[in-house]
Amino acid sequence: MSRKSERLVNLTIALLATKRWLTKSQIFSAIDGYEGEPDAMERMFERDKDDLRNLGITIEVGSFDPLFEDEVGYRIRPENYRAEIGSITPRELSLISLATQAWQGAVLDSSALSALVKLKSIGIDSDFDSIPAISPTARVSDKNFAIVVDAIAQRRTISFSYLDQNLHPENRALEPFGAGTKNGFWYVAGRDLDRKGLRLFRLDRFSSDIKVQGKPGSYEIPDDFVMRDLLISPAKANLATIKVRRDKAHLLRSKASTIDEGDEWTTLTVPYVEDTEILADVLWHCNDAFIVEPQQLRQSAITALNELVKCHD
């Protein structure tokens, strides 16, 4: 992990664990990596806040006493850091469970613990129980993930080979703006230097290692860029006709644009972007759901089921 990434993780942990607002001077003295002249540390801290925002982490700004002009302080509320799980599906819960296991043991990392010990030494208590399970040594299955995050933090261009919809490799160059996850897949978004526009790429469709090029700070991330919005609102969607058993497959029902109820089976029209996403949702429901159209997607589901049967022979 780069020093930049380590500093971001430690900053996140310190701001999550604190029971009070942390001033800049307290942050600079407690977290390794903030060094140099005061102006240099100020600029470094502002860049770090932007980087965390691009990763979906919001730092709150406030003061100890709103009636007086106290020094501004910073913190991250644990309730804002955690995901809303009120309507979570069994499949999504299983993914979160796996992710939690991968990130366990975070706050006992020596460098992160050092920051909290330093805060304690200047009279600022921290609460380990308030910290969601995060770790600077997370084991993400995609080997390119850490490279992408570092490139975003450093504002460096990346290049890679990418499989298109027909599984043909294409060479792409990207100024990465942010990274995020949707339906169990990791994505990176940024300015495609060949297409001259904002594009979204799924990491598991990279067919080569990522090459990082250019000097740090070679581009700026637009102020209005929000990774979450890009994942929620795909630019292009296909339509699948799916039959589900009556009163079953509520995840698919929630995604459907039309629902035609029948006696035993209900016909859904479900928009989707990636074949793999809709296939995973349908196959999750076993014999309570099957694809009618398009035929190519239906055949992919049949092939996947046949492969599953072979694996258990």
Side-chain angles (χ1 to χ4, degrees):
M1 174 179 289
S2 70
R3 292 194 63 190
K4 168 78 172 184
S5 300
E6 183 177 335
R7 188 177 70 246
L8 287 174
V9 169
N10 294 339
L11 175 63
T12 303
I13 289 175
L15 294 179
L16 276 169
T18 182
K19 295 181 178 180
R20 51 177 288 186
W21 299 101
L22 293 185
T23 64
K24 286 183 183 177
S25 58
Q26 291 166 340
I27 291 171
F28 295 161
S29 64
I31 297 175
D32 292 336
Y34 290 111
E35 52 195 22
E37 297 296 324
D39 287 347
M41 289 192 291
E42 288 273 354
R43 290 192 297 271
M44 192 180 300
F45 181 61
E46 291 302 317
R47 289 195 297 268
D48 287 350
K49 287 196 298 179
D50 288 341
D51 291 336
L52 292 179
R53 176 178 63 82
N54 291 328
L55 293 171
I57 301 172
T58 302
I59 297 178
E60 290 191 357
V61 181
S63 61
F64 300 96
D65 191 336
L67 299 179
F68 298 92
E69 294 184 358
D70 291 331
E71 184 179 353
V72 171
Y74 303 87
R75 68 182 178 186
I76 299 173
R77 291 184 183 273
E79 60 267 28
N80 293 338
Y81 186 90
R82 296 187 177 98
E84 174 60 52
I85 60 173
S87 59
I88 197 167
T89 67
R91 176 172 175 267
E92 290 166 338
L93 182 60
S94 67
L95 292 172
I96 288 177
S97 176
L98 290 172
T100 301
Q101 294 175 31
W103 293 85
Q104 278 180 344
V107 296
L108 298 181
D109 175 79
S110 58
S111 59
L113 184 59
S114 173
L116 299 183
V117 170
K118 289 179 182 178
L119 290 173
K120 179 70 174 179
S121 70
I122 57 177
I124 299 176
D125 288 331
S126 300
D127 182 6
F128 281 104
D129 292 335
S130 71
I131 305 176
I134 61 176
S135 171
T137 55
R139 293 176 176 83
V140 181
S141 60
D142 195 299
K143 61 183 178 181
N144 285 319
F145 178 79
I147 301 174
V148 165
V149 173
D150 279 346
I152 294 169
Q154 297 172 19
R155 308 292 197 275
R156 297 184 67 186
T157 301
I158 59 175
S159 60
F160 49 89
S161 179
Y162 190 73
L163 299 177
D164 63 15
Q165 292 285 354
N166 298 315
L167 300 182
H168 297 148
E170 298 178 338
N171 292 325
R172 312 298 284 269
L174 184 75
E175 293 176 347
F177 293 168
T181 183
K182 177 184 177 182
N183 295 336
F185 299 101
W186 282 100
Y187 292 82
V188 58
R191 181 173 180 267
D192 189 315
L193 298 183
D194 296 318
R195 273 65 172 180
K196 307 297 182 184
L198 187 63
R199 293 292 187 273
L200 188 68
F201 298 92
R202 221 174 77 184
L203 292 190
D204 68 328
R205 285 172 58 181
F206 284 33
S207 57
S208 71
D209 292 336
I210 291 177
K211 294 181 180 178
V212 181
Q213 55 200 51
K215 296 180 179 179
S218 59
Y219 64 90
E220 292 296 327
I221 297 176
D223 292 336
D224 59 353
F225 172 79
V226 181
M227 186 69 189
R228 180 178 60 256
D229 293 346
L230 196 63
L231 291 172
I232 292 174
S233 305
K236 179 183 177 182
N238 303 303
L239 294 176
T241 301
I242 301 171
K243 283 193 176 288
V244 299
R245 204 178 299 275
R246 188 175 181 85
D247 296 327
K248 298 288 186 178
H250 297 291
L251 172 61
L252 288 169
R253 290 173 181 270
S254 69
K255 295 181 177 182
S257 56
T258 66
I259 300 177
D260 183 14
E261 295 286 359
D263 291 336
E264 182 180 358
W265 294 92
T266 300
T267 303
L268 309 178
T269 302
V270 181
Y272 67 97
V273 177
E274 299 283 352
D275 288 2
T276 49
E277 293 180 13
I278 191 67
L279 281 171
D281 287 340
V282 172
L283 294 175
W284 170 262
H285 293 93
C286 300
N287 61 354
D288 288 329
F290 65 88
I291 297 168
V292 179
E293 296 284 350
Q295 283 299 315
Q296 180 182 356
L297 190 65
R298 175 182 172 86
Q299 186 57 49
S300 296
I302 294 172
T303 301
L305 290 171
N306 287 334
E307 290 295 327
L308 183 63
V309 170
K310 289 180 181 178
C311 291
H312 290 81
D313 280 346

